[in-house]
Structures are given as C-alpha cells and as structure tokens.
Amino acid sequence: MNFWWILYTIDGLLFAVVAFTVLYFTIFSIASQLKRRNETKRAKEQHRYIVMVASHERGQSVLATVRSVLGQTYPQRLFDVVVISDHETDLTNMQLAQLPITLLTPNFDKSSKAKALQYAIFNLPKFKIYDAVIILDAGNIVKPDFLNEVNDAYSSSGTKAIQVHLLAANRDTPIARLDNIFEEINNSVFRRGHQAMGLTAALCSSGCIFDFQWFKANIMKIGSTNDVEKPLDGLLMRDIIYVDYFDNIFVYNEKTRTVKEFNSRRGHWFRAQIHSLVSNLRFLPGAILNRRYDHADKIIQWMLIPRTVLISIIAVMSVILPFIYWSLVIKWWVAGALILFAFAVATPDYLVDKNWNRDFLLAPVIALGGVANIFTASTNEATDRVVGATNWLKGLKIKKKKRKKY
C-alpha cells in the first residue's frame, strides 16, 4: 500500500461526502428563489392556543418574551401562557408571578428543554382544552399581531405542524451576524426551498406550532435532549405529518454574541444531528421503497456535513493539494465556488452589506473551535459515563461483601 493509493482513497471518499452536501445545498438554494407563498387568507374561526416558554437562567430575556406575548391583539381568553422557569433567580420568578401567566418552577439536576416541555404538559390542568401549542424560547420577541397571523396560518395550512420565520433580533457582533446568516441560509434551504419542491420544512428550535393532542402524545417520547426539534421532526415524519413553513410570520430571536457560545450551541446541534441520524437511519430503506420522500429527505438531511466544517474541509484541501498533486485540487475549487454560489443565493439581500464578506470568512476559523468543542464535549460525556459505570460496579462489590459478612 503506497502513499499515492492512500492519498487517492482519502481524497475520493472525502470529496464524495463533500460533493453530496454541496449539491444538496445548491439544488434547494436555487429552489428557494423559484416560488413564494401567496398572502395567507383570513381565518373564519379563532382557535385556542397555549404558548410555552422554556427558560433556563435567562433573567430579563424571559420577561421580555412574556410581555411581548401578553401584548397580543388576539383575544386574551383564547390563549394561555406557560413559563417553565428552571433555575431562574427569585427576583425573576417574582416578576413573572405578577403577570397573568402560569408559572412553573422545576429544579432539574440536569436541565434540558425537553424536560421543561414535558414538565409543562404533565402539570397542565386536565380540564384545559387547546387546539394548538406554540413553542417559544426565552429571548424571543413577537409582534402584537403574531397570534392573529398564526391563527390564519393554522386555519389555512391544514396540517398539524407549522414553522414560522426566525429572524435575528440583534446583529451587533460578527458572531451574531454570522449566526444570522446561517439561520437565514437554513430558512432558504431547509424550509422555503423544500416547500417550493413540495417537501416538508425543517423545524427550528422555536417558533413552531403543533396540534395540541399530537404534541401532548409525543413530547414524552423524545427523552431528555436539549434540542427538541430533530426528535420531533423524526416523529412527525413517522406519522406522515407535513411541516408547513410561513416565511411572512416572524419570531425575533436573540443571536449568540461570543465565539464560545456559538461553538457550544453548534456542538449541541451536531451531536443531536448524529443521534437523530443513528436513531432513524434504519427507516431510510422503507421510506424510499414506500415513496415516503419527506421521511427519506429528512434522514438524508442529517447525513449532511455542518456548514462550518464543510467550508473548513474545502479550504484546507484547496490549500494543501496544489503542493502534493496539482490536478487533484481542481474539483475542490469547483466545489468551493459552487457552495459559495449556493450560500450567496440563499442569503437574503438585507444581509449582504459591508460586513458580509468579512463575517463569512470567519466561518473556517470558528469551525476549528467548533470541531474541538464537539470532541471535547463528547469526551466529557464518555468520561461521565465511564465514571458512572465504575461507581455502579463499586456499589455492587460493596453489596456483595455485606452479603457474605451477614
């Protein structure tokens, strides 16, 4: 086995994975520009909603979210607000308690968004009846007509799951702007582009609406993960439920401002993606054979390389290969040009300003920290499991000794 054979093999396999991701992004980026939703028709009936806000050590951010929801022009008798305040300060809880909401204050040893939502469902009064549940994060801000728009969308859509447009509430740092760019690329590729091609849209971390009975029956099935959208996506696909996307309904989302927080969040998302892929990969052959293309596409999405890692791989190969074998690098340059084209098409015009090029060039640098964060967190998680298993074995040995003594 010589050096050139190893080089060709690594180059070929790596490029095949990268090329698949690049092609996927390019197709749906172009599709996102082909068709736009017409204005939503006014609903003839008003549904009853429950708005759930999970908050973990967010302080004043959750208060801003709750106040924006309570300021709706939608009839107040037709919606309730539930805040799951996990490890918030006494001052924050006292301020929340003064508002006309249902305040739940669990104290989880290991907090997660899934646990918070499950706790809320478990503690709802049995006599409360709702048509749909709206999931928001602490820090989200909505306009006064948000629930009116949601009601129109929910009535006209005819499906049990809806995703609205997450829009950045802040663009005050390069990291916040980069996070905003990636979010809008997600909206173009995984939501508007899919919708244009007749496929189901992907869920976001917030701004999603579900049929209440479906949500109540399925939220307990997703475990204790902090990223609930991917497990819920998988359950929706198994139940053959189409996720509709409304690009003209906005939820303003607070973006991360630091590299550490950005990488930490991306690391969580990447691990959630791997977990979802492993859990659902067995359904791919059946989804293809039964022509359940939405389900198959969802599983394929989880096979894609994360964008920051994708850019880093292309950048590294494009720089290194000319010094090893010049002809091998041409296809990497083409892939790089194609993915930049796809990202440019998927990025809304309002984001293409004087900071766009400079912010986007940060992505490969940030990706290195993100990859390190993924492996560090994975190593820590594995270490915790080993320590837990060791302590469990020690406990068994102590019990055996006590039994022999007596």
Side-chain angles (χ1 to χ4, degrees):
M1 185 180 297
N2 58 37
F3 168 78
W4 293 109
W5 187 88
I6 296 174
L7 176 64
Y8 291 148
T9 302
I10 294 175
D11 176 73
L13 292 175
L14 192 58
F15 182 77
V17 177
V18 168
F20 177 78
T21 302
V22 169
L23 188 61
Y24 189 97
F25 271 94
T26 304
I27 291 172
F28 285 103
S29 292
I30 295 172
S32 69
Q33 307 301 311
L34 300 180
K35 184 180 179 181
R36 298 279 180 165
R37 178 187 291 275
N38 296 326
E39 188 176 348
T40 307
K41 294 182 180 179
R42 195 71 178 173
K44 295 181 180 180
E45 60 178 324
Q46 292 178 316
H47 295 92
R48 185 167 174 78
Y49 299 94
I50 178 170
V51 182
M52 292 188 178
V53 183
S55 180
H56 176 68
E57 297 180 349
R58 295 302 304 274
Q60 294 300 309
S61 294
V62 65
L63 287 164
T65 300
V66 172
R67 287 179 180 129
S68 73
V69 175
L70 291 176
Q72 296 297 299
T73 57
Y74 198 73
Q76 291 192 358
R77 70 181 188 280
L78 294 178
F79 73 94
D80 292 329
V81 181
V82 176
V83 175
I84 309 96
S85 175
D86 179 23
H87 289 87
E88 295 291 354
T89 64
D90 292 338
L91 177 60
T92 300
N93 286 334
M94 183 182 69
Q95 291 174 312
L96 287 168
Q98 294 174 355
L99 300 173
I101 64 171
T102 299
L103 177 62
L104 302 175
T105 55
N107 190 21
F108 301 120
D109 292 333
K110 189 175 182 181
S111 302
S112 74
K113 187 175 180 179
K115 284 183 180 180
L117 296 175
Q118 291 162 357
Y119 186 88
I121 287 293
F122 185 77
N123 286 278
L124 281 180
K126 303 299 180 184
F127 63 87
K128 289 284 189 177
I129 299 174
Y130 302 99
D131 295 305
V133 54
I134 301 173
I135 307 299
L136 296 178
D137 286 341
N140 290 164
I141 301 296
V142 294
K143 292 181 178 180
D145 59 346
F146 171 71
L147 281 179
N148 283 311
E149 294 176 339
V150 166
N151 188 64
D152 294 341
Y154 191 74
S155 297
S156 64
S157 178
T159 185
K160 294 183 178 182
I162 289 174
Q163 178 62 56
V164 302
H165 190 161
L166 280 188
L167 202 62
N170 61 296
R171 296 177 58 209
D172 49 352
T173 68
I175 301 302
R177 291 193 292 270
L178 184 63
D179 197 9
N180 190 18
I181 290 170
F182 284 169
E183 187 67 60
E184 287 290 22
I185 290 173
N186 281 345
N187 288 328
S188 294
V189 174
F190 298 111
R191 296 175 189 101
R192 193 165 57 246
H194 276 67
Q195 186 184 62
M197 297 187 70
L199 294 171
T200 188
L203 293 176
C204 291
S205 57
S206 63
C208 34
I209 300 97
F210 303 101
D211 174 83
F212 179 75
Q213 294 302 327
W214 182 91
F215 183 81
K216 184 177 179 180
N218 286 275
I219 189 61
M220 300 298 178
K221 300 178 182 178
I222 67 172
S224 59
T225 179
N226 201 46
D227 300 287
V228 301
E229 63 270 21
K230 290 182 177 61
L232 288 176
D233 254 335
L235 292 171
L236 287 166
M237 293 306 98
R238 290 181 216 172
D239 290 345
I240 319 179
I241 296 175
Y242 179 83
V243 180
D244 206 351
Y245 175 63
F246 285 80
D247 196 48
N248 58 341
I249 303 177
F250 301 109
V251 170
Y252 295 89
N253 184 33
E254 188 176 5
K255 294 300 180 184
T256 57
R257 290 180 168 85
T258 64
V259 176
K260 182 179 179 180
E261 190 178 357
F262 180 89
N263 283 333
S264 177
R265 185 173 294 184
R266 296 286 159 178
H268 285 303
W269 287 344
F270 180 75
R271 291 190 295 277
Q273 179 175 324
I274 294 298
H275 182 269
S276 297
L277 175 60
V278 172
S279 302
N280 291 275
L281 190 59
R282 67 183 186 276
F283 299 114
L284 182 58
I288 296 173
L289 291 174
N290 294 320
R291 298 182 180 180
R292 294 172 59 177
Y293 300 124
D294 281 330
H295 197 178
D297 173 73
K298 188 65 61 178
I299 298 171
I300 291 171
Q301 280 183 30
W302 295 328
M303 296 180 182
L304 302 177
I305 303 173
R307 281 174 299 282
T308 49
V309 178
L310 177 71
I311 297 170
S312 299
I313 292 174
I314 294 175
V316 169
M317 298 300 285
S318 297
V319 171
I320 291 177
L321 283 179
F323 298 99
I324 301 175
Y325 201 147
W326 190 87
S327 63
L328 290 178
V329 79
I330 297 176
K331 62 181 181 295
W332 289 99
W333 289 346
V334 173
L338 198 58
I339 195 60
L340 289 177
F341 168 76
F343 288 161
V345 170
T347 303
D349 292 341
Y350 80 92
L351 289 177
V352 184
D353 54 18
K354 60 182 181 180
N355 297 314
W356 192 86
N357 291 330
R358 183 182 61 185
D359 293 338
F360 205 82
L361 288 174
L362 289 173
V365 178
I366 295 172
L368 298 177
V371 172
N373 181 74
I374 291 169
F375 287 112
T376 301
S378 300
T379 303
N380 292 339
E381 184 177 351
T383 303
D384 290 341
R385 291 183 179 180
V386 171
V387 171
T390 303
N391 292 336
W392 180 73
L393 289 173
K394 287 180 180 179
L396 286 180
K397 290 179 181 179
I398 292 172
K399 288 180 180 179
K400 287 180 179 179
K401 288 180 181 179
K402 286 183 177 179
R403 286 176 183 173
K404 287 181 180 180
K405 184 176 180 180
Y406 291 105

